Amino acid sequence: MTKIKDTDYLALSSRIKAMETRLLSQSRMEQILEARSDEEAAKLLQECGYGELTSNRPEELDRVLAASREAMLADLSAAAPDPRYIEIFKMKYDYHNAKVLLKAQARGVDPASMLSDMGRVEVEKLQEAVENAHWTELPDCLGQAIAQAKEVLDTTGDPQLSDVTLDRWYYREMLETAQATGSDFLLGYVRAVIDAVNLRTLVRTLRMGKGAGFLRSALIEGGSVSVSALLAVGSAGGSGLAELYASTSMQEAAESGAAALSGGALTAFEKLCDDAVERYLAGAKYVPFGEAPLVGYLAARETEYTNLRILFIGRQLGLSAETIRERLREAYV
């Protein structure tokens, strides 16, 4: 691929700076949180540029968020000089669909309601490839991932192990794609994501009492903390966890994870993992042009979708404003 320069992003960066002003701010999240009724909350959502929410059912919210995400990805796909920066945010839907299709095939159920059209591969093509083992018709990593995950599922009958296999391939493909672009900012983002995933995996594995073999199979290479160091902490029952991340952006999250291993709640820990990644991305706001503003904005929108789900689902469940507030991720703006 022809080398793309920062200046090739001048026009797109200007657009993104304008689009950032319409991201969901902390004050707007508070307005939705404190809305007196579901109707008022839905109206506020429309004022943020989302479609009409006509009911309080989770699937209705999913429809609105999916439509927004699809429109945003299509818009930026047409404008991005290098498609890989968009693809790195689309590939998770390919791997999600692969998980759904493999489990549906094993159980003999219809997967249609659980599939997403926002990946790189059309759902129909992916479904045909899974049903007929046409792996070579898919992107290389994805095809290998599905073939291996299917073998694991067929051999063990354990869908969790199959999902773990797909996750490992997903983060491997993310990392390889980031490295191939030559973007230090994108690579830093992917490594931060892997750090968060590995920290969560370590804490959850220890909390569930799963063995070293499962932990080894679930950890991802490529983060700032090595897999061997994580396994050593795992074998010690979590001792040294906070110290392991002491010099990284995950320090606060690791301290919370250590507390969670002693019986503390996971909610604050999960939030701190996401917030550490968000703080890395915040650096993109100060880059005038280049690929960093695009990456930052794409990730910020994903965080926005997460926060909207927390807000609306929390309201529907009757959770207190304080409980919902504690779960909200840091906003990009």
Side-chain angles (χ1 to χ4, degrees), residues 75-102:
D75 177 30
L76 294 179
S77 293
D82 186 338
R84 291 174 296 185
Y85 292 102
I86 307 296
E87 289 171 0
I88 210 165
F89 287 91
K90 296 180 77 170
M91 63 178 63
K92 71 177 180 180
Y93 301 106
D94 293 327
Y95 285 88
H96 162 80
N97 287 340
K99 291 178 183 179
V100 170
L101 288 166
L102 286 177

Side-chain angles (χ1 to χ4, degrees), residues 17 185 277-288 292-293 296 332:
K17 296 300 180 184
F185 186 83
V277 178
E278 192 66 30
R279 282 192 292 274
Y280 171 83
L281 289 164
K285 291 186 290 187
Y286 309 105
V287 178
Y332 186 74

Side-chain angles (χ1 to χ4, degrees), residues 87-229:
E87 289 171 0
I88 210 165
F89 287 91
K90 296 180 77 170
M91 63 178 63
K92 71 177 180 180
Y93 301 106
D94 293 327
Y95 285 88
H96 162 80
N97 287 340
K99 291 178 183 179
V100 170
L101 288 166
L102 286 177
K103 283 181 277 194
Q105 185 182 63
R107 296 170 182 167
V109 299
D110 183 3
S113 64
M114 295 176 286
L115 296 171
S116 167
D117 283 321
M118 288 175 287
R120 299 163 298 170
V121 182
E122 293 180 357
V123 168
E124 294 78 9
K125 179 178 179 179
L126 186 58
Q127 188 163 7
E128 190 277 333
V130 170
E131 290 174 353
N132 298 295
H134 291 167
W135 316 128
T136 57
E137 297 177 5
L138 300 174
D140 187 48
C141 276
L142 180 62
Q144 293 183 62
I146 298 175
Q148 191 176 106
K150 178 172 172 52
E151 182 179 355
V152 168
L153 187 57
D154 290 344
T155 302
T156 67
D158 188 338
Q160 185 180 28
L161 290 178
S162 176
D163 284 354
V164 165
T165 300
L166 285 165
D167 284 339
R168 285 173 62 86
W169 277 94
Y170 164 51
Y171 291 110
R172 171 182 168 178
E173 185 173 5
M174 278 187 76
L175 186 64
E176 289 178 355
T177 301
Q179 291 169 333
T181 66
S183 168
D184 291 337
F185 186 83
L186 180 61
L187 185 57
Y189 164 64
V190 172
R191 285 181 169 156
V193 169
I194 291 174
D195 279 336
V197 168
N198 281 343
L199 180 53
R200 280 194 182 98
T201 298
L202 176 59
V203 170
R204 288 171 180 166
T205 300
L206 291 172
R207 287 257 304 200
M208 292 186 293
K210 287 185 175 289
F214 178 85
L215 180 60
R216 186 177 296 105
S217 71
L219 291 172
I220 313 297
E221 298 283 357
S224 63
V225 175
S226 70
V227 167
S228 60

Side-chain angles (χ1 to χ4, degrees), residues 57-73:
R57 294 179 301 169
E59 59 268 26
E60 184 74 5
L61 176 64
D62 288 342
R63 177 190 61 77
V64 169
L65 297 184
S68 173
R69 183 187 279 115
E70 187 172 2
M72 181 265 295
L73 289 173

